[in-house]
Amino acid sequence: MSRQLISSGSPFEAQVGYSRAVVQGDWCFVAGTTGTDPETKIMPESVVDQGRNALKVIGKALEDAGFSFADVVRVTYYITDAAYWNDLGKATASVFGDIRPAASCVVAGLIKPEMKIEIEVTAFKG
């Protein structure tokens, strides 16, 4: 069973030593992804915009791996303030509303103070 590594081109991937996604057989594991705009490299202020940006990067990684959001079976949200939970659906419902993967949400500190959300997903085709 071959292993495929997917890169988003982030300098942190080489610096820290990780892949945006790893495909192993019928599984795709997408690393925790924060909300920097993939084109402008600017971190927006709102958790909703950060969530949308994270999902853009995740969607591209899934596509590069031969998967789609429809294949997502698990999603984990890391938010820095429990109050963000009330707005999270504004970023995620349009992507996961019909798919409805198993989900967890954890309130945690992230590596930079401007980061409000990090999202990771697991996808399966089989």
Side-chain angles (χ1 to χ4, degrees):
M1 183 179 314
S2 67
R3 179 176 165 147
Q4 179 185 5
L5 305 179
I6 306 296
S7 174
S8 65
S10 167
F12 297 115
E13 293 171 15
Q15 178 185 354
V16 178
Y18 73 96
S19 296
R20 174 63 47 211
V22 175
V23 178
Q24 187 76 41
D26 291 336
W27 293 92
C28 180
F29 304 90
V30 181
T33 304
T34 59
T36 301
D37 185 292
E39 285 84 38
T40 67
K41 307 301 182 204
I42 294 172
M43 181 70 71
E45 178 64 27
S46 84
V47 69
V48 173
D49 290 338
Q50 287 187 25
R52 287 179 180 142
N53 287 342
L55 290 170
K56 284 181 199 173
V57 173
I58 290 168
K60 173 83 166 76
L62 288 168
E63 181 181 314
D64 290 350
F67 289 75
S68 73
F69 279 116
D71 300 311
V72 172
V73 295
R74 180 90 174 127
V75 59
T76 304
Y77 304 104
Y78 301 92
I79 54 178
T80 58
D81 186 325
Y84 295 151
W85 175 253
N86 295 327
D87 291 326
L88 192 57
K90 295 173 187 170
T92 61
S94 64
V95 173
F96 293 124
D98 291 333
I99 300 163
R100 298 185 56 183
S104 298
C105 184
V106 178
V107 178
L110 296 177
I111 61 172
K112 293 186 178 182
E114 65 270 19
M115 294 175 174
K116 296 180 178 175
I117 187 168
E118 185 169 337
I119 303 171
E120 66 181 18
V121 304
T122 303
F124 178 75
K125 285 201 288 192

